[in-house]
Amino acid sequence: MTMQTAAFSLNQTAIDLIERKFREKRRMAQAREQELFGIFQEELTEEETWALKYLYAYMPVNDMADYDGALFLSHVRRTLEIRKAMPWGERVPDHLFLHFVLPYRVNTENIEDSRGILHEALAERTKSLSMADAILETNYWCHEKATYIGSDLRTISPLTMIRNARGRCGEESTLAVAALRSIGIPARQVYTPRWAHCDDNHAWVEAWADGKWYYFGACEPEARLNQGWFSPPARRAMLINTRIYADYPGPEDITLADEWFTEINLLENYAPTRTMTVAVKDRQGSPVSGAQVHFELYNMAEFYPIATIPANELGEASFKTGYGDLLIRAVHDGVWGEQKITVAESDRIELVLDQTEQPSGTHDLDMVPPPEREGDEAEALSEEQIQRHNRRLEEGTKIRTGYEATFLTEADAAALAGEFGLPAERVWDVLRKARGNDREIAAFLRERSGEYGEWPLRLLESLNEKDLVDTFRPALDDHLIGALARRGELDEETFVSHVLCPRVLHEMIVPYKRFFQEAFAADEAAIKAYPSVLVRKLENGYGLWEDLQNLKGKGNPVGTYKLMHGDEISLGILFVAVCRSLGIPARLHPSEQKPQYMGDGGWKDAPFASRTSQEKAEAKAWGSLRLQRDPEAAPETAEASYYENFTFARLENGVYKTLVYPYGKKDVYDEPFEVEPGSYRLTSGVRLKDGTVQARFTYFKVEAGEQTDVVLTYRQAKHDIPVLGKIDRTSAFAKLDGTRATLGELIGASGALVAWIEPEREPTKHLFREIGELAEAYAKLGAPIVLIIGDAEWTASFDPSAYPNLPSGTVFVRDSSYAALPDFIAQSPARDAGYPHLFVLDAQDQIRYTASGYKIGTGKEALQVLTGVWQ
């Protein structure tokens, strides 16, 4: 084949594909031609030209809206320089460099020109090491910068992560991947979209060194690669994957080759797998090419499609997965078929599309996860290696906590509040949440409170906690001044929530109020009188472009406005932003995420009639759904909690779309839910200790203008409380005051919860959160909670007073070598699962429940058992 360029070893096929997609993106983005493509008028090398064309060819539409070409050119030039500067640069093959070093995006984070900044921090620390050791060293650096905390779905950037010093796993791994790429090492963020054995998901990192991919937990260093607390859960996963913004040829298994990205399946590197083939046929038995086959997993009380694969010309879709249960749903032109499968029993099923109306009544099914499996036995580390690793962890923690000690204090907040007559506790609340951005937030309050009183503080309080870490004065000034200029006669609550507040969904906050006030000055009066005028303007002038599902709704409104293209949710965000800029209260509907404005005393839909065939030009009449308690429910039935044990979903074109409400919402019986008319499925689930879920579907319909009452029921699981062993009451521990006490003295004589923990690790942090959320119930029961920490894990960052939300009966003690951990743990898979090791004890010191490692829901399960054995 004729080679057209030496840059990145691109052959003619690859060149033609990149050129075609580059031209298509350029046509789509012609409204920002100069801002995006003006860089090609500069003097570029052949490598720079093709690197830029490659990035643009697969660039998400939101990035073309939100960023300028100068950012991408700077990124490309710095990355090419790094490749030449680092000792392993020439050893990284071109195809790995293109797909896993050059890309500027890792997840859904805000894009910043950070590659050079990260490189300067890491180059000297790593350039004399082997590639594998450089990966380990980079993760020690990440540990110095950030640690785990749960947070919302918006992904902060690597630089914001460093400023914040903490973030969720998707943000930790985004930082680690960006850091590795900054020193020229191929890296990728990998996900299990949803766990099978418990709720939630997880992300970690794979990095390439001298011909081999390795994995590790970002910001949670181990002494060697291919090791992490998540290794045992990963052996029970049903999918571990990553997304590459390119036509990626492998060699890994390809789950989905989309026009704009490739999803690769990495599961077989972690767990036993089987390839399931679904043959989709119509009522006449003919293959249905193009049917969408959804492989659904129970998690967070919904059936979540971990993969959606189109059927090929033979009507078949194949998916490599683990040995658990899945619900398979195939859909074509609104007609569907559905079947639960147990992967261990078969590798092929036939699914007939013959359903157009949902069933009635209820339907029960059990969803069983893959079984626990032990991993390969690794060579034991030497005592010297363990000590060196522990020292590095301690050093990293001291560096991070030293940085956190520079944050403003409560006394600083009180002084600032006193200066302007503001409530001290409210000022401290926003400064505390701002963390490393606290001085920027304090400066905004200092500059604006004199003139505007409490309004600057009210603006800050309207933001999400994470916004306070990466929103700066230009944006805050714009939204404060722009909103107050258009307040009118609105009541305070409406004004703050739906005009002053710039946050719409999960987009990056940018200054936009003044921009839109000027852009729509000529139409402002007409739009205020009839907001539908704005709908028609956006509908007629703006194109719908959807390329990446995980970036939906991430476009900032100014970028979407300038590009004149966006996905449906980003266009809705644009509508809301323009309305708020003009003083019109607006929002995305809380569950439907469709744009609405306030008029005639209530919320009115702003339907974009041409967006999808589902939408109609006229606003729909809503219905209401009222949940009712099950009068026959057993006393031990779990409290209803959205996304924890129930959700409801509406049938749309053959697929159930889960309605979005806050995670853990418990006031579900108080008021009816406002929902669109349609066919609905209520999903409830009870998860057993082994991870099996007893799920129930309840089917019903909601009519426009009417209220539908639905009883929320759960299947009644039998909770046996076996005796698993006995604890040693004579084991002695060091208390915080320096004295020693036996376990018997700590737990008393009526039962207790005892856990050996590693406070710096994510699984223990989940346990802290869960017990904290149930603090009132634990305190009411009165059972002691003893949390045991090894001397090596009692790091500089660990302060028992930092956990005020734990139940009042909680006691922290030290166990120098974890020697008191029950012996049977060492002979079971629990040892491999890692910490925390949790035990529920009865009055006879018998172990009635145990859980080890990462498992969401342990705190609630432990409480249920403790309640059953408490005396």
Side-chain angles (χ1 to χ4, degrees), residues 3 15 23 124 212 239 463-464 526 614 652 704 748 754 759 835 858:
M3 299 296 293
I15 288 168
R23 289 193 300 269
E124 289 300 317
K212 184 177 178 181
L239 175 65
L463 301 176
N464 293 340
Q614 298 289 315
E652 292 187 357
V754 178
Y835 297 90
T858 295

Side-chain angles (χ1 to χ4, degrees), residues 635-688:
E636 65 271 17
T637 300
E639 179 184 13
S641 178
Y642 203 80
Y643 280 130
E644 288 192 275
N645 53 35
F646 89 96
T647 58
F648 38 80
R650 185 176 59 255
L651 185 63
E652 292 187 357
N653 199 30
V655 177
Y656 282 100
K657 174 188 173 184
T658 300
L659 273 61
V660 179
Y661 291 102
Y663 177 86
K665 177 179 172 64
K666 293 181 171 61
D667 57 342
V668 297
Y669 301 113
D670 296 347
E671 294 182 4
F673 293 86
E674 181 187 56
V675 297
E676 291 190 359
S679 298
Y680 283 81
R681 184 179 74 187
L682 170 65
T683 301
S684 65
V686 176
R687 194 179 287 276
L688 308 182

Side-chain angles (χ1 to χ4, degrees), residues 663-723:
Y663 177 86
K665 177 179 172 64
K666 293 181 171 61
D667 57 342
V668 297
Y669 301 113
D670 296 347
E671 294 182 4
F673 293 86
E674 181 187 56
V675 297
E676 291 190 359
S679 298
Y680 283 81
R681 184 179 74 187
L682 170 65
T683 301
S684 65
V686 176
R687 194 179 287 276
L688 308 182
K689 186 176 182 297
D690 68 355
T692 295
V693 172
Q694 296 181 332
R696 169 168 291 169
F697 292 148
T698 302
Y699 298 97
F700 59 94
K701 289 187 176 182
V702 175
E703 303 292 344
E706 297 182 8
Q707 177 173 292
T708 300
D709 293 341
V710 179
V711 178
L712 174 56
T713 65
Y714 297 90
R715 295 169 62 190
Q716 298 302 317
K718 293 183 179 179
H719 295 287
D720 295 326
I721 309 180
V723 175

Side-chain angles (χ1 to χ4, degrees), residues 284-410:
Q284 288 73 43
S286 300
V288 183
S289 174
Q292 294 293 306
V293 182
H294 305 272
F295 296 83
E296 298 179 346
L297 183 67
Y298 179 95
N299 188 292
M300 294 176 65
E302 67 172 336
F303 279 81
Y304 181 86
I306 56 173
T308 298
I309 302 172
N312 61 21
E313 64 278 2
L314 300 177
E316 295 182 352
S318 295
F319 174 52
K320 183 175 286 187
T321 187
Y323 281 76
D325 291 353
L326 291 170
L327 187 65
I328 311 297
R329 189 175 184 88
V331 182
H332 190 257
D333 291 339
V335 184
W336 71 88
E338 186 174 74
Q339 182 177 329
K340 182 205 141 177
I341 63 165
T342 297
V343 175
E345 295 178 355
S346 175
D347 61 1
R348 184 180 179 87
I349 66 165
E350 181 176 301
L351 206 54
V352 178
L353 304 187
D354 59 359
Q355 303 293 313
T356 57
E357 296 289 334
Q358 71 173 14
S360 59
T362 62
H363 174 65
D364 294 343
L365 66 165
D366 290 348
M367 301 298 295
V368 181
E372 288 186 277
R373 293 181 173 88
E374 294 193 38
D376 297 331
E377 189 169 343
E379 182 180 348
L381 295 168
S382 68
E383 186 61 29
E384 181 184 355
Q385 288 173 308
I386 293 172
Q387 293 302 321
R388 186 189 314 122
H389 173 64
N390 287 340
R391 284 196 302 272
R392 293 300 306 275
L393 291 179
E394 181 73 6
E395 290 166 2
T397 302
K398 286 180 178 178
I399 291 171
R400 186 178 66 252
T401 55
Y403 164 67
E404 291 176 306
T406 67
F407 296 170
L408 295 178
T409 65
E410 190 170 1

